[in-house]
Amino acid sequence: MPPSPGLRGTYRTDLPARAAYAEGAGIYRIVPSAVAIPADTADLVRLVRWAGAHGLALIPRGAGSGMAGGNVGDGVIVDLNRIGGRAVAIQAERRRAVAAASVTHLELNRATGAHGLRLPPDPSSGRFATLGGMLSTNAAGARTVRYGSVRRWVEAAELVTSDGDVVRLERGRAFRGTAAALSRFESTVAPRLRAAADAIAAATPATRKNSSGYALDAWLASGDLLDLVIGAEGTLGIVTQIEWRLDRHPGATAAIRVTLGSLDDLAGAVEALRTHEPSAVELLDRTFLELVHGRAAAAASGPEAVLLVELEGETAAAAAALAQAAARSVQPFAKRVETALTTADIDHLWALRHAASPILAGLPESRRSLQVIEDGCVPLARLGEYIREVRGAARERGLDIVLFGHAGDGHLHCNLLPEVARDGWERSVGALLDEIAGVVAALGGTLSGEHGDGRLRAPFLDRIFGAEVVALFREVKAAFDPRDIFNPGVKLGSAPAVARLKAGAAAVPLPDGIAAALRDLERRAGYATPRLELLD
């Protein structure tokens, strides 16, 4: 390593510190070469210029709760949690909020909630997910079916480029200033993207959600450089501050539970529900129900899936009326429909949605929950087919799997439960990922609905977008980051996806205390914990 960058913040190269940042929420364990915690934006600029001068990789990181491996790597981990403080500046009359990228979704909504406002996209990791991480993956959540992903709620962002420039990108306003990265893009790549607009449109998956690749389609539609940075996973620059557009809190909510006897009824049920503009339509697959209730109980009741549906209204009566109307609409497709109108009833339904997490977290070391084929999104009409394909492919390889997700968007999450002491389990998992990537492509889907490509899905982008569009992705990356210092191998990479894992005999050894602390953090979802505290 070259000499220290001379930060006013923290810079560590000792093994315990590096080991504390070797894992995120996904499947990987990669010990970085160093850890940097800049004190502020000026400190970050110093670090970026130092890395550029020495050709070193920087891996931006917030809470480390991302699933796809964009928060670990061989270079210098850049912990952004000291930059900008925890304050949220709110302009209630304009429904706007400005906060540092290190502020969490929970902190933002607590601050805006005092004004009757909220940021509607609500990832399940919101209590610790940072706003910078959410922007960088174009995050979503259960309420995307009504409110869309993060993209539509971002008004501006402050970005540190690979040249060490600090720029503010605003929605609907051309950048006024000098920044080498933006000049390179506008002069060399932008004309090529405009010329390839038809090819880009044809290659972009026609799904309701997409966090894969660079959002060339969104940039072509808006002309806003902001749209390229959103979902770029820190590969084009490091976001330090964000201005958000907010929405009012709903007056009231109501919910229904729909039990399906066949996956053939899934698309029809969701389409019927969507006519009532639900705020959430969540899927609990048979595999999920078997995990939560036990296989015997699930087999006895026989449902293929359960849908949890939330509807919002100005008043409790309006929300209740919407729920009743939705229940009538979905009845022809359902084995059973239950309406829940009280707060306690709604909480009970959502408790079922979250019941799997503690079970998965408490698995023994011999069987780990791994998020490998965990973010596919397909056209809604193909969702039942996709579920069958995933179940069958896992069964053929002797891999247990738990499926759930956001049915209203055709978006499925999968947790594999391999026996990590079994010889060859990594090959089985890798083969499953390869097969399902082909299935997603054949169904016209995207490999990432809301978590991003990371290192996990980067090798498969050609299958989804085709070689021509992936070549354009590389041109965008090269214009913004010609020395490839920001998150190399993330989003654009060819390294084996199922390798350098945190589980199994091949996992890189860590100091015993750090390894145990990271496993405990994973089990309790303690991603808000500053990693250097694990050294204690």
Side-chain angles (χ1 to χ4, degrees):
M1 288 291 290
S4 166
L7 301 183
R8 287 177 289 108
T10 301
Y11 183 76
R12 301 275 295 263
T13 58
D14 56 293
L15 178 58
R18 293 186 291 123
Y21 285 87
E23 297 181 7
I27 66 174
Y28 297 106
R29 176 183 289 176
I30 304 173
V31 180
S33 57
V35 173
I37 311 177
D40 51 27
T41 300
D43 221 19
L44 175 61
V45 168
R46 179 189 295 270
L47 177 67
V48 168
R49 290 176 176 168
W50 170 82
H54 294 286
L56 296 176
L58 299 178
I59 299 97
R61 179 163 167 149
S65 60
M67 295 288 190
N71 47 27
V72 293
D74 291 303
V76 180
I77 293 288
V78 185
D79 186 329
L80 299 168
N81 284 293
R82 289 187 192 169
I83 297 178
R86 320 307 299 175
V88 178
I90 301 169
Q91 300 176 20
E93 67 284 354
R94 295 181 60 234
R95 295 188 190 175
R96 297 287 189 272
V98 177
S102 58
V103 170
T104 67
H105 181 265
L106 176 63
E107 290 171 332
L108 177 74
N109 274 348
R110 279 178 173 168
T112 58
H115 301 271
L117 301 171
R118 62 173 176 168
L119 176 63
D122 61 334
S124 59
S125 58
R127 63 189 174 91
F128 43 75
T130 64
L131 300 177
M134 289 176 60
L135 179 148
S136 294
T137 57
N138 188 29
R143 293 183 175 86
T144 310
V145 65
R146 178 166 182 170
Y147 295 103
S149 299
V150 153
R151 182 179 309 282
R152 73 164 70 168
W153 300 94
V154 178
E155 289 295 313
E158 182 181 87
L159 182 76
V160 177
T161 73
S162 66
D163 306 286
D165 295 321
V166 182
V167 300
R168 178 177 167 83
L169 304 178
E170 299 182 55
R171 179 73 65 196
R173 296 182 64 179
F175 176 72
R176 306 294 184 190
T178 58
L182 307 192
S183 296
R184 287 191 297 266
F185 171 79
E186 291 289 359
S187 63
T188 62
V189 183
R192 289 179 51 75
L193 297 183
R194 294 187 183 103
D198 290 344
I200 291 168
T204 302
T207 51
R208 287 182 50 82
K209 298 164 71 173
N210 183 28
S211 290
S212 189
Y214 293 118
L216 306 187
D217 57 332
W219 175 79
L220 286 167
S222 70
D224 293 334
L225 288 173
L226 190 59
D227 278 322
L228 288 178
V229 173
I230 297 168
E233 301 181 67
T235 61
L236 303 183
I238 299 179
V239 173
T240 55
Q241 187 185 75
I242 309 162
E243 179 179 339
W244 298 94
R245 185 165 60 87
L246 306 172
D247 193 38
R248 291 185 304 158
H249 269 289
T253 60
I256 62 175
R257 170 175 165 163
V258 180
T259 300
L260 300 177
S262 170
L263 291 178
D264 294 335
D265 295 320
L266 178 57
V270 174
E271 290 289 6
L273 292 165
R274 282 177 46 78
T275 63
H276 302 278
E277 298 186 337
S279 50
V281 183
E282 294 292 279
L283 169 75
L284 309 181
D285 179 65
R286 184 185 69 208
T287 57
F288 184 103
L289 301 174
E290 288 172 352
L291 178 76
V292 173
H293 296 308
R295 296 185 184 276
S301 58
E304 279 295 309
V306 166
L307 299 176
L308 303 183
V309 187
E310 180 186 84
L311 302 107
E312 298 175 350
E314 290 293 325
T315 64
L322 279 172
Q324 296 289 359
R328 289 192 296 271
S329 294
V330 79
Q331 191 69 53
F333 306 96
K335 184 176 180 180
R336 183 181 181 190
V337 181
E338 302 163 81
T339 303
L341 302 179
T342 69
T343 300
D345 289 337
I346 294 171
D347 289 345
H348 178 71
L349 288 186
W350 282 105
L352 176 62
R353 167 65 172 81
H354 299 297
S357 295
I359 297 173
L360 295 172
L363 290 173
E365 288 301 308
S366 61
R367 181 180 291 272
R368 295 290 291 272
S369 173
L370 298 178
Q371 298 78 27
V372 179
I373 51 164
E374 52 87 31
D375 203 33
C377 184
V378 299
L380 181 56
R382 313 298 295 273
L383 182 57
E385 184 179 353
Y386 180 51
I387 291 172
R388 286 194 175 100
E389 292 279 0
V390 172
R391 286 181 187 170
R395 184 171 56 250
E396 287 176 6
R397 292 173 173 83
L399 294 168
D400 288 339
I401 193 167
V402 177
L403 309 179
F404 58 98
H406 313 303
D409 294 309
H411 183 203
L412 190 66
H413 295 315
C414 310
N415 283 55
L416 287 178
L417 309 179
E419 297 177 28
V420 296
R422 190 182 77 183
D423 184 50
W425 70 271
E426 298 95 335
R427 291 191 298 274
S428 296
V429 170
L432 179 63
L433 174 60
D434 184 81
E435 178 178 346
I436 296 304
V439 169
V440 171
L443 295 177
T446 176
L447 292 170
S448 176
E450 63 186 10
H451 293 164
D453 298 307
R455 302 178 186 283
L456 181 61
R457 289 176 273 273
F460 303 100
L461 261 61
D462 277 20
R463 298 195 196 180
I464 304 300
F465 295 96
E468 178 184 357
V469 171
V470 171
L472 293 173
F473 290 165
R474 295 188 185 282
E475 291 188 36
V476 171
K477 167 68 170 171
F480 275 86
D481 183 19
R483 292 182 294 272
D484 197 22
I485 63 171
F486 288 143
N487 246 355
V490 168
K491 198 164 280 294
L492 294 171
S494 56
V498 182
R500 308 181 77 177
L501 304 179
K502 65 170 62 170
V508 173
L510 300 179
D512 287 344
I514 301 299
L518 287 171
R519 183 69 175 116
D520 176 68
L521 183 148
E522 179 182 341
R523 281 183 163 133
R524 58 186 174 83
Y527 295 105
T529 305
R531 293 307 183 273
L532 293 185
E533 288 187 6
L534 302 184
L535 275 60
D536 298 331

